[in-house]
Structure formats: C-alpha cells, structure tokens
Amino acid sequence: VTAALVLNAGLKVFPGQIRTLGAFMKTRLQGLTADLTIVLSDSTRDLAEIRALTSTPRGLLIHLPSTEPETALAALARAPLDQRLLLFPAGPFGAEVAVRLATRLGGAALIGVTSARLAEGRLQAEKRVYSQHLEAIFTLNRTPACLSLAPGLDPAEPPPPGEETAWAELDFRSLPVSPGARQLTPLAERGGLSQARRLVVGGLGLGGAEGVEALTRLAEALGAEWGGSRAAALRAWLPMSRLVGVSGAMTRPELCLTLGASGAAAFFAGIEKSRFIVSINQDPRAPVISRSDVAVIADWRSIVPQLLKLVTGEKK
Amino acid sequence: LEALAKTLLALKFDRVRRLDLAEAPLFHPELVAALLAAEARALGADLVVMGGQSADGDNAQTPLMLAEFLKWPILTQVTAFEPLAPAGLVVTSLEDDGQARRILAPPLCLAIGNAASWLRVPTLKDRLEYGHRGIEVLPAIAPAPAPGASLASLKPVETRRAGLVLQGEGGPALAARLYAEFLQERLAP
C-alpha cells in the first residue's frame, strides 16, 4: 500500500506543513510508504522552494486558479490517483479537503490522526476521542482513506539537497473559482506560544482581568510567553490568539506554570509536551495536580506576589 | 438537553427537534450527517449552523459530510456571521493563514469554531409564555453510508506525572520553597 501527501502551496504555513507531513511519513507510518507528494499550486510560491522541501520519490504539481477548498476538491476528485491513503496536514484546509474528498469519492476519513499503519492487510489510524481522554484506533473500511493530522506533531528537518523527486504536472487552471470575494487578515501572532521556552498559562481560576494581569506580570518576570484555557478565552479575559489547547496553540516549553487551570484534557493536550510543569491550584482534586511535576495547593493570589519578588530580586 | 431545548423555545425558536441517537451506533458521522441532510431538505432550509465537532466522537466530520450530502458550500471555524440585505451573509472564519471575511449567499453550511459567544438568557415572561411548548423527538432513521472508519480499540491517554504536592505552609513560604527547590535553577540563564 502506498500513500500520498497532499499539500496546499498557496498557504503561508506550507513549509511547516510539508515538514510535519515528512516527519509523520518517516516516524508514524507503519508498514506503509508515502511515495508521492501532491502539491496544489496557485503559482504564488516559488517552485524551487516546493522542490527543496519535498522528500518523496515522486511529486505531482497541480496548477489551480485558486487553492480554496472548493477548487482544490474539484481538482483532486478529477486527478488520476491510485494511492489508497492520502495524508493531509492539520488545520482547517487539510481537515475540510480530507473529509469532503473522502465523502465525494466514497472513501473514509479521519481528522486529528497521530499515526497510521497497515495491520493484517487493513489500514488503521490512531487518534484521540472523548475530548482527548481516550486514544482510539480505527479501522478504515473504504479507500481512499483521507487522513488529516493532529495539530502539534513534530516537524522534520528539510530533506538534504540532492534527493531527487520526479515531478509530473496537471493543469486545472480552467476550473471555476468559488464566488464571493474574500478579505484575509493575518492572525495576530500567537505570541510565539508554540516555540516558547517558558510559558505561563491560566484557567477559570484566574477569575478575570485581575488574574490575567498577574499572569502577564509573572510571565514578563520569567521571560515567558503567556496564554490561557478555552474557558478563559471564551469569557474574553484574553484574546483567542492566546488560547492554548487542541483548538489553539500546541506548546512544548522547557518550563510551564499553570495558574488556576483545572487541567481539562483538551487544554492539557496543549501543554503535555512541556519538559517540566508546575501548577498552582487551590483544588487538590483538580486533574492538573497529578498531571504536573510539582503542584502547589493554594490560591495563586497568595503565591504569585512573593514569586514575583523572588524572581525580580534575583534579576537585580 | 431538555433544559437547553426549553431555553431555545423561550428564546422564540419556532421549533425544537431532537434527533434521538440513543440507539444509533457510536462513531458514525455519516448517519448524523444523513439525518441532518434529510431534516434540512424537509424543512426547506438554506442555512445550517453547526458546532465544529461532537465532544464524544471528536470526529469533526459531520458538518463537512453534511455539506457534501447537500452539495452546498461550507465554511468551518466560523467566529461570526450576520445577515446582509437583501439575502446574503457576512461570514468571518479562521483559516490556516488568518481570519477571512466573506460575503456569501445561501444555501450554505457553517461550522462554528472558537467564537466567544453564548446564548442570551430569556426573560422569565418568555420562559413562561414560550418555554413550555413541546419538543419533537424524531427517531434516528435515515439511509446512510456505512461508517467509513470503525472503532477497533480504545485506551486511556496517560498524562500522569510525579505530582509532587506542596501545601499547607502559607503562601509566602510555599512560594519561597517552590522558587528555591524547583524554579531557581531552571530559570538560570
């Protein structure tokens, strides 16, 4: 069974996505080989860059008038593909096109996949279910199986120069483009959350603006980035660009401090790759306690002022 | 669910229908999407607004399958939408590269993403006047494709760590111990 990687070169996040799919192919595909990279192109990205980032033996460049999902779907549904497994990146584009393409072609789809394998002749894929509480393995009953990756998986280094890919091209530039003008505003920077070495994150226990101010002061003193849980973001205590968890940033800091966060699974998934987790929470039964390396059972209001003095005193 | 349905009625939604999935197999988004497609056709709806994914199956596929069954366009990760006269919608959604704003005309499916939104609280008067109306419960029967993916196994996600607990010494003393034993060295440049 061979697999193909499917990417949208029209996205600014394309370089990170192709590196993450490359890492998935090398470390999370068992009994399967990805031999083809399909790149959807609206001609905005330099072909040399696409070629330099591709690590499969074969490549297929599909020229489109636009790489919006409707146009991309129309092209992929017409393209002569014999791969039984198509791998898409995490994110809105990958998830949408994976599921809609599988539905259109009578295949099967899964979103949020962390690994895939061939077991006794059947395709299987792993993903989390029940709000990140359980790890499930699914058997894919139909092909093509279209899988979109889970967010936060590790990217690979770019392939070394000299690895040759044999390229073919398909021209679908005559396909219709979705009606309706689109204005795109780049997202406010996620505060570099996913690359932060130190992180301070808060939850509902922050209690509101006062708590967020304490959180940001502590983060500044520690030289850390800051963010919060979905519950805190939905109350508009902090901007959505600071949301940590499966629907926001997936982080991997050396040191993570949580304040008043219960540790709900969907939030915790966003910090579980931290090297060291310290939690401050007054509820000894909160799930975050057993999920931390060190847990202080106390109201953050009684800890943070003294901690600030110690950290800033040290700096002086 | 009953309380939510009564709140929706009190907010003057014309009808509340509950599709009874109690007997339906788990992890079968094709069935849910087929049921919703049948409902949308029967109602003559031209706009379907959905959540992004179910908390249980976490499949995130139902809105996308529904759009394919209806052959309608869909926007996912929607954070806001508002009507635009005479018959359009202004829709804001999150994409891989940023926040997109579009003007679109129905028919259309919208799957809501990280929107800071909540239901209005109905007045007591509206609760009394409208909240008692009946909820229609429909059996989950619709011709649907078999599940594309079947559950083979489940196991808990293991996230336990050392969980060393510091407590009971008073805030300043706890902060001092936390700093000296666990943070100072890690914060060294």
Side-chain angles (χ1 to χ4, degrees):
Chain A
V1 171
T2 56
L5 318 179
V6 186
L7 289 128
N8 177 355
L11 296 177
K12 289 191 180 68
V13 292
F14 167 81
Q17 291 189 335
I18 192 168
R19 287 174 54 201
T20 305
L21 273 172
F24 186 95
M25 174 180 87
K26 288 189 177 114
T27 61
R28 293 170 183 265
L29 269 185
Q30 296 160 23
L32 294 157
T33 317
D35 71 335
L36 175 69
T37 301
I38 300 165
V39 178
L40 303 160
S41 170
D42 58 2
S43 306
T44 54
R45 187 172 295 279
D46 187 25
L47 289 183
E49 185 187 0
I50 295 172
R51 291 191 166 118
L53 289 167
T54 303
S55 54
T56 52
R58 295 190 298 130
L60 175 63
L61 191 63
I62 301 184
H63 296 283
L64 297 173
S66 151
T67 55
E68 288 225 41
E70 295 286 351
T71 315
L73 268 167
L76 287 168
R78 287 170 170 80
L81 302 174
D82 54 11
Q83 276 72 20
R84 286 169 60 196
L85 178 61
L86 300 176
L87 296 168
F88 294 77
F93 178 87
E96 175 174 348
V97 177
V99 176
R100 293 182 67 190
L101 184 65
T103 307
R104 208 168 278 194
L105 298 180
L110 284 175
I111 291 177
V113 167
T114 53
S115 71
R117 72 186 71 148
L118 192 66
E120 296 169 1
R122 308 197 74 177
L123 278 171
Q124 291 193 321
E126 193 167 11
K127 64 165 287 184
R128 288 187 179 179
V129 295
Y130 288 96
S131 302
Q132 301 284 312
H133 284 97
L134 297 173
E135 201 86 63
I137 294 174
F138 286 92
T139 301
L140 297 151
N141 302 321
R142 298 189 288 264
T143 58
C146 300
L147 309 181
S148 164
L149 304 196
L153 299 181
D154 296 327
E157 292 302 315
E163 280 196 9
E164 283 300 312
T165 298
W167 285 91
E169 299 191 22
L170 279 176
D171 193 340
F172 281 116
R173 275 175 283 209
S174 59
L175 280 174
V177 177
S178 310
R182 180 182 70 143
Q183 289 177 322
L184 189 69
T185 314
L187 276 182
E189 174 63 30
R190 278 196 196 278
L193 284 170
S194 50
Q195 282 87 40
R197 284 185 57 242
R198 294 174 189 161
L199 181 68
V200 185
V201 284
L204 272 188
L206 287 175
E210 173 212 2
V212 175
E213 192 191 332
L215 178 92
T216 52
R217 284 180 57 206
L218 183 60
E220 189 183 356
L222 294 171
E225 282 296 342
W226 60 276
S229 69
R230 184 178 167 85
L234 286 180
R235 282 164 177 76
W237 295 350
L238 43 95
M240 284 291 176
S241 57
R242 294 280 176 178
L243 175 59
V244 172
V246 278
S247 51
M250 303 291 277
T251 70
R252 52 183 77 238
E254 296 286 316
L255 173 66
C256 175
L257 236 79
T258 81
L259 305 183
S262 67
F267 162 73
F268 193 81
I271 60 168
E272 71 180 15
K273 288 185 178 160
S274 305
R275 185 176 291 264
F276 196 79
I277 298 178
V278 175
S279 290
I280 302 172
N281 197 302
Q282 58 187 347
D283 179 3
R285 292 162 304 172
V288 76
I289 305 297
S290 62
R291 292 173 175 169
S292 303
D293 294 284
V294 177
V296 182
I297 312 293
D299 187 341
W300 61 264
R301 293 171 187 84
S302 70
I303 303 291
V304 169
Q306 181 68 15
L307 206 50
L308 270 170
K309 279 184 201 163
L310 291 164
V311 174
T312 52
E314 178 93 355
K315 278 187 180 169
K316 283 171 193 164
Chain B
L1 274 180
E2 293 293 307
L4 173 66
K6 283 179 188 302
T7 299
L8 294 173
L9 287 169
L11 288 170
K12 301 182 190 173
F13 279 70
D14 291 318
R15 279 184 288 176
V16 175
R17 285 184 171 180
R18 182 162 70 78
L19 298 173
D20 186 3
L21 291 165
E23 301 297 321
L26 288 171
F27 304 109
H28 193 178
E30 291 89 345
L31 172 63
V32 182
L35 285 163
L36 293 172
E39 275 296 293
R41 288 190 191 106
L43 288 167
D46 60 0
L47 176 66
V48 179
V49 182
M50 303 178 70
Q53 57 198 98
S54 78
D56 294 350
D58 222 350
N59 70 68
Q61 296 190 54
T62 311
L64 298 163
M65 287 178 173
L66 173 66
E68 284 297 304
F69 290 166
L70 292 171
K71 299 192 187 322
W72 291 2
I74 181 168
L75 287 179
T76 61
Q77 300 295 326
V78 172
T79 55
F81 65 96
E82 55 188 280
L84 178 75
L89 282 173
V90 182
V91 185
T92 309
S93 63
L94 286 182
E95 299 187 352
D96 292 270
D97 282 343
Q99 181 173 275
R101 190 171 176 274
R102 287 182 173 81
I103 295 171
L104 293 160
L108 186 62
C109 292
L110 300 178
I112 306 299
N114 285 330
S117 59
W118 45 88
L119 274 181
R120 204 158 45 79
V121 177
T123 62
L124 183 59
K125 180 169 170 278
D126 285 344
R127 275 201 185 278
L128 291 172
E129 191 168 347
Y130 302 102
H132 64 277
R133 287 177 297 159
I135 298 155
E136 299 167 60
V137 180
L138 302 179
I141 300 168
S150 306
L151 185 66
S153 70
L154 270 180
K155 66 175 183 189
V157 173
E158 189 47 73
T159 51
R160 292 181 74 84
R161 294 189 179 213
L164 180 68
V165 169
L166 310 182
Q167 63 183 332
E169 301 167 29
L174 277 175
R177 196 175 153 205
L178 172 66
Y179 181 71
E181 292 183 26
F182 300 103
L183 293 181
Q184 192 169 18
E185 197 174 318
R186 289 186 168 82
L187 293 172

